[in-house]
């Protein structure tokens, strides 16, 4: 039996909330990136990967330190980030569909996106990435999510199951 896996990195809990909404809609296992496997299990046919946008892309050790300084409390993801996990992810040698998402500030034109960087890395690892990455929006760096974003994440995940564009 095939299954879906959602892997996320989250500093303040916003990306985690989106990952959990997606995981519920897909009936998927949801895993924080520090606990994600470096070898994709054989029964995973759908992979969804998400992270917050930091400095116009995927987080790095320096941007995670900056988030920790801003948090004043414990971060959700205190270990490796999605960038490092994707660098360590072993080739899978079979057809696996993957989708990418991020959380980011909404407003005006902002360059860069963690989701676009994730999708590019997934394609380089030979995952099938059938659609553009998705962004979910926060009101400020620590959040919270804009009203309705978890519901939008649920709808996006359901669209993955039916193969219809979100």
């Amino acid at each position: 039996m095939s299954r879906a896996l959602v892997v996320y990195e989250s500093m303040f809990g916003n990306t985690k909330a989106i990952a959990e909404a997606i995981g519920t809609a897909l009936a998927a296992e949801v895993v924080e990136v520090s606990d994600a496997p470096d070898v994709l299990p054989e029964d995973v046919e759908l992979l969804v990967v998400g992270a917050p946008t930091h400095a116009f892309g995927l987080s790095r050790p320096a941007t995670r330190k900056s988030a920790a300084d801003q948090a004043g409390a414990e971060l959700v993801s205190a270990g490796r980030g999605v960038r490092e996990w994707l660098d360590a992810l072993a080739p899978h040698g079979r057809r696996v569909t993957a989708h990418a998402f991020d959380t980011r500030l909404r407003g005006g034109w902002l360059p860069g996106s963690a989701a676009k960087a994730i999708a590019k890395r997934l394609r380089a690892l030979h995952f099938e990435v059938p659609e553009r990455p998705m962004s979910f929006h926060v009101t400020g760096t620590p959040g919270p999510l804009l009203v309705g974003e978890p519901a939008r994440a649920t709808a996006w995940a359901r669209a993955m199951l039916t193969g219809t564009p979100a």
Side-chain angles (χ1 to χ4, degrees), residues 2-3 8 12 21 33 42 48 51-52 59 67 78 81 98 108 112 121 143 147 149 161:
S2 67
R3 69 180 171 114
Y8 72 89
F12 305 108
V33 68
E42 286 295 321
V48 182
S59 73
R121 286 169 181 256
V147 172
E149 291 299 82
L161 294 174

Side-chain angles (χ1 to χ4, degrees), residues 28 47 72 85-86 96 122:
L47 176 66
W85 176 68
L86 288 170
V96 177
L122 288 168

Side-chain angles (χ1 to χ4, degrees), residues 71-155:
E74 196 157 323
L75 297 177
V76 174
S77 295
R80 70 179 173 178
V82 164
R83 174 190 301 266
E84 292 82 10
W85 176 68
L86 288 170
D87 286 346
L89 189 60
H92 51 84
R94 58 191 164 77
R95 184 182 181 278
V96 177
T97 302
H99 296 271
F101 74 93
D102 64 14
T103 52
R104 58 185 295 160
L105 290 170
R106 181 180 199 150
W109 181 83
L110 293 173
S113 160
K116 287 180 183 176
I118 292 166
K120 182 177 179 179
R121 286 169 181 256
L122 288 168
R123 285 185 186 100
L125 289 166
H126 304 289
F127 286 90
E128 181 179 319
V129 184
E131 63 181 58
R132 292 178 31 197
M134 182 66 76
S135 289
F136 298 95
H137 300 102
V138 295
T139 60
T141 299
L145 289 163
L146 288 177
V147 172
E149 291 299 82
R152 202 163 67 83
T154 297

